């Protein structure tokens, strides 16, 4: 590369032994380049200091068919369902998708957003609404239609479609309190990792504060898995004098791990312990004793979010913040406590 000259796309192509077209496709995230080769090209571009010509990509931005989607994990039924709802809608509209796994890391999300802005996609999808100020400013400054999915906010980056997680936590807490539970616990992951779960915990605390009850909290350093639910339940059961009478979990998988642990320890569910999950995951359909859980409309959320983002891409004005209701399904892992009134009517049906 000549001295005092800016790195060119040709330099990246030569460094990685591919064509200029392949470099272009890799930088834009479109199909036709293997993940390994794309990673090699991006590393070479970063090493050489190459960045796409913003003027050139801006000319093509209005014709872009690329939509970038950032998910905190690719190994989660929740985000798989949301993605499925979005993918069908985007596919029918002729758009190409490039996926990112942020692993709940704000810095990783920031770096990905910066790359996406260079590629000038037609639109961007982010999970949740809790993003750094830098991400918000970059996307608004780049004027790229942006959808925040799975949560809601009164002032989204552009538009958001999700559920009110704090309200869902209040709904769970009020339901449990109405059944007579007064010693609740919450099992989740380490603080700060999942903002949506923290909002549900805040809602649970609000509901039980009305009954002067504190919510015990256990946090796992592991992902929200069966094993994590089991381990944190073992810890909650270890001290009989502070043992809760019901345990709410971050999701249904953790709740199943907790339910199995209680029954293995000789604590009957729901007679000896109430168990509550979240999301209404597929596992609940095959359990002999269905979990009390909250049903979240994930496919609907994905498809609705995708339709609104497409409308934004085409210049239409849409509602900036859309909240989709959740439903509480009582299941068979909670029961009426002796000191509460008889509220059995309707417990076999979802409660809005």
């Amino acid at each position: 590369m000549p001295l005092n000259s800016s790195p060119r796309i040709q330099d990246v192509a030569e460094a990685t032994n591919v064509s200029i077209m392949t470099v272009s496709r890799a930088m834009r995230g479109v199909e036709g380049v293997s993940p390994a080769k794309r990673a090699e090209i991006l590393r070479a571009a970063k090493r050489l200091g190459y960045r796409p010509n913003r003027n050139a990509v801006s000319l093509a931005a209005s014709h872009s068919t690329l939509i970038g989607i950032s998910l905190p994990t690719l190994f989660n039924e929740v985000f798989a369902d949301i993605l499925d709802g979005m993918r069908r809608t985007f596919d029918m509209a002729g758009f190409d998708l490039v996926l990112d796994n942020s692993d709940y890391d704000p810095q990783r999300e920031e770096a990905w957003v910066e790359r996406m802005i260079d590629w000038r996609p037609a639109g961007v999808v982010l999970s949740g609404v809790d993003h750094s100020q830098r991400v918000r400013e970059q996307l608004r400054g780049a004027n790229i239609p942006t959808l925040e999915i799975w949560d809601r906010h009164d002032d989204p980056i552009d538009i958001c479609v999700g559920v009110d997680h704090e309200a869902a936590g209040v709904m769970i807490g009020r339901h449990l309190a109405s059944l007579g539970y007064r010693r609740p616990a919450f099992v989740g992951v380490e603080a700060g990792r999942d903002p949506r779960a923290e909002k549900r915990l805040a809602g649970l605390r609000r509901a039980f504060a009305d009954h002067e009850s504190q919510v015990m909290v256990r946090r796992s350093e592991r992902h929200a898995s069966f094993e994590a639910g089991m381990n944190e339940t073992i810890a909650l059961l270890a001290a009989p004098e502070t043992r809760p009478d019901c345990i709410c979990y971050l999701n249904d998988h953790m709740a199943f791990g907790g339910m199995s642990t209680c029954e293995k320890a000789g604590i009957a569910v729901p007679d000896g312990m109430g168990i509550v999950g979240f999301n209404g995951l597929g596992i609940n359909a095959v359990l002999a004793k269905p979990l009390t859980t909250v049903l979240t409309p994930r496919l609907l959320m994905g498809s609705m979010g995708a339709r609104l983002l497409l409308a934004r891409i085409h210049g239409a004005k849409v509602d900036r913040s859309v909240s989709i209701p959740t439903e509480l399904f009582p299941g068979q892992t909670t029961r009426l406590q002796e000191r509460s009134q008889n509220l059995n009517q309707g417990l076999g049906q979802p409660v809005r």
Side-chain angles (χ1 to χ4, degrees), residues 227-241:
E227 184 180 7
M230 174 190 73
N231 290 336
E232 300 312 315
T233 303
I234 289 173
L236 283 171
L237 300 180
E241 66 278 5

Side-chain angles (χ1 to χ4, degrees), residues 139-206:
L139 286 169
R140 281 178 169 173
N143 200 31
I144 296 174
T146 300
L147 166 68
E148 294 169 278
I149 197 86
W150 181 223
D151 202 352
R152 66 166 304 280
H153 194 284
D154 290 332
D155 182 30
I157 295 172
D158 187 11
I159 58 174
C160 67
V161 176
V163 302
D164 187 330
H165 288 269
E166 184 168 350
V170 170
M171 178 172 64
I172 294 169
R174 287 176 176 170
H175 176 71
L176 292 174
S178 75
L179 296 179
Y181 292 102
R182 293 296 183 269
R183 301 190 310 280
F186 178 84
V187 172
V189 293
E190 56 189 338
R193 180 172 175 83
D194 188 340
R196 277 75 63 186
E198 297 302 313
K199 292 173 185 178
R200 297 198 294 273
L201 172 58
L204 191 67
R205 283 172 164 156
R206 274 180 52 196

Side-chain angles (χ1 to χ4, degrees), residues 158-319:
D158 187 11
I159 58 174
C160 67
V161 176
V163 302
D164 187 330
H165 288 269
E166 184 168 350
V170 170
M171 178 172 64
I172 294 169
R174 287 176 176 170
H175 176 71
L176 292 174
S178 75
L179 296 179
Y181 292 102
R182 293 296 183 269
R183 301 190 310 280
F186 178 84
V187 172
V189 293
E190 56 189 338
R193 180 172 175 83
D194 188 340
R196 277 75 63 186
E198 297 302 313
K199 292 173 185 178
R200 297 198 294 273
L201 172 58
L204 191 67
R205 283 172 164 156
R206 274 180 52 196
F208 274 102
D210 294 338
H211 301 274
E212 299 182 352
S213 297
Q214 299 292 320
V215 179
M216 293 171 269
V217 178
R218 290 291 309 180
R219 298 184 182 279
S220 173
E221 295 181 357
R222 299 172 178 268
H223 294 289
S225 62
F226 300 115
E227 184 180 7
M230 174 190 73
N231 290 336
E232 300 312 315
T233 303
I234 289 173
L236 283 171
L237 300 180
E241 66 278 5
T242 60
R243 182 177 293 174
D245 58 8
C246 61
I247 308 175
C248 302
Y249 295 82
L250 185 149
N251 64 21
D252 289 347
H253 290 163
M254 295 185 86
F256 174 70
M259 178 174 66
S260 300
T261 301
C262 287
E263 294 184 334
K264 186 181 294 185
I267 300 172
V269 175
D271 292 336
M273 181 70 70
I275 298 290
V276 182
F278 193 81
N279 277 319
L281 300 179
I283 186 174
N284 220 22
V286 298
L287 291 178
K289 185 181 294 180
L291 294 164
T292 294
T293 188
V294 172
L295 310 178
T296 53
R298 300 178 297 276
L299 282 171
L300 171 64
M301 192 184 310
S303 61
M304 179 182 295
R307 291 196 302 271
L308 291 177
L309 183 60
L310 289 174
R312 286 286 296 114
I313 289 170
H314 291 103
K317 289 186 177 181
V318 299
D319 290 338

Side-chain angles (χ1 to χ4, degrees), residues 81-197:
D81 286 345
I82 292 174
L83 177 61
D84 197 26
M86 290 191 292
R87 180 187 55 78
R88 297 176 188 178
T89 303
F90 288 139
D91 281 353
M92 291 179 62
F95 283 83
D96 301 305
L97 308 181
V98 57
L99 301 181
D100 169 68
N101 172 18
S102 70
D103 195 29
Y104 296 93
D105 184 340
Q107 292 183 336
R108 186 165 176 171
E109 183 183 69
E110 280 189 13
W112 178 80
V113 167
E114 187 173 344
R115 292 198 306 273
M116 290 305 301
I117 290 174
D118 282 342
W119 296 343
R120 294 299 301 180
V124 166
V125 180
L126 300 178
S127 298
V129 296
D130 299 277
H131 311 291
S132 70
Q133 188 61 29
R134 177 174 173 79
V135 165
R136 292 173 64 86
E137 290 174 352
Q138 282 186 313
L139 286 169
R140 281 178 169 173
N143 200 31
I144 296 174
T146 300
L147 166 68
E148 294 169 278
I149 197 86
W150 181 223
D151 202 352
R152 66 166 304 280
H153 194 284
D154 290 332
D155 182 30
I157 295 172
D158 187 11
I159 58 174
C160 67
V161 176
V163 302
D164 187 330
H165 288 269
E166 184 168 350
V170 170
M171 178 172 64
I172 294 169
R174 287 176 176 170
H175 176 71
L176 292 174
S178 75
L179 296 179
Y181 292 102
R182 293 296 183 269
R183 301 190 310 280
F186 178 84
V187 172
V189 293
E190 56 189 338
R193 180 172 175 83
D194 188 340
R196 277 75 63 186

Side-chain angles (χ1 to χ4, degrees), residues 60-79:
S62 62
H63 304 292
S64 174
T65 60
L66 176 66
I67 292 178
I69 301 177
S70 177
L71 302 173
T73 175
L74 300 178
F75 304 100
N76 182 300
E77 190 174 338
V78 171
F79 296 107

